[in-house]
Amino acid sequence: EWLHSICGIVDIRLFGNSFSGTLSSSMGELTALKLLSLYGNRLEGTIPTEMGLMTALTFLSFAQNMMSSSIPSSISNLSNLFHLSFCNNEKLSGSIEQLCNTTTTKRFHYQVDRKPSIICSCCVPC
């Protein structure tokens, strides 16, 4: 319930803190959030489907964590993204190809693992 009191936050930078654990599905309630950097922690588990509700996001980084499973298709709802990084999450798989087809993302830079387990024609390898 504490999350409801911070729903107006637009920028969360939690990089390099060695946080561990999983991401809560209630993160999807942060609909005003524009930047979410979780780079360089020890987060594991799946990316919640509810993150697709965070349509104001322009920057999203899961780089250098231990995320696993399939990237939820709801990520394709994040059409405002110009930076998306899944670097160094070797157990992630899936497709973010739909993001390549949005009119705003074609001119932006994406990064994903060099592994073929993530399908993305507009992405640049880490």
Side-chain angles (χ1 to χ4, degrees):
E1 296 188 26
W2 63 270
L3 194 57
H4 294 289
S5 64
I6 64 167
C7 285
I9 289 182
V10 295
D11 190 329
I12 296 178
R13 299 171 194 236
L14 299 175
F15 51 87
N17 288 296
S18 298
F19 290 133
S20 61
T22 59
L23 297 175
S24 170
S25 61
S26 60
M27 287 188 74
E29 296 177 30
L30 298 173
T31 55
L33 198 65
K34 293 185 178 187
L35 184 146
L36 178 59
S37 180
L38 302 172
Y39 174 91
N41 287 291
R42 295 183 197 152
L43 299 172
E44 55 190 353
T46 61
I47 298 170
T49 302
E50 292 80 3
M51 289 195 82
L53 300 173
M54 302 168 72
T55 55
L57 278 175
T58 59
F59 184 102
L60 178 59
S61 178
F62 293 107
Q64 295 188 7
N65 278 286
M66 298 180 286
M67 306 302 292
S68 60
S69 193
S70 183
I71 299 167
S73 61
S74 63
I75 291 291
S76 64
N77 296 337
L78 307 180
S79 60
N80 290 316
L81 282 176
F82 66 86
H83 180 89
L84 174 61
S85 179
F86 294 118
C87 295
N88 300 317
N89 284 280
E90 296 178 10
K91 295 181 181 178
L92 273 179
S93 63
S95 174
I96 54 174
E97 191 64 29
Q98 286 182 320
L99 285 173
C100 297
N101 299 328
T102 63
T103 56
T104 57
T105 57
K106 287 184 180 178
R107 57 193 161 111
F108 296 116
H109 180 75
Y110 288 83
Q111 295 179 330
V112 296
D113 283 331
R114 294 176 190 263
K115 303 178 78 139
S117 59
I118 296 177
I119 300 166
C120 177
S121 63
C122 64
C123 298
V124 175
C126 298

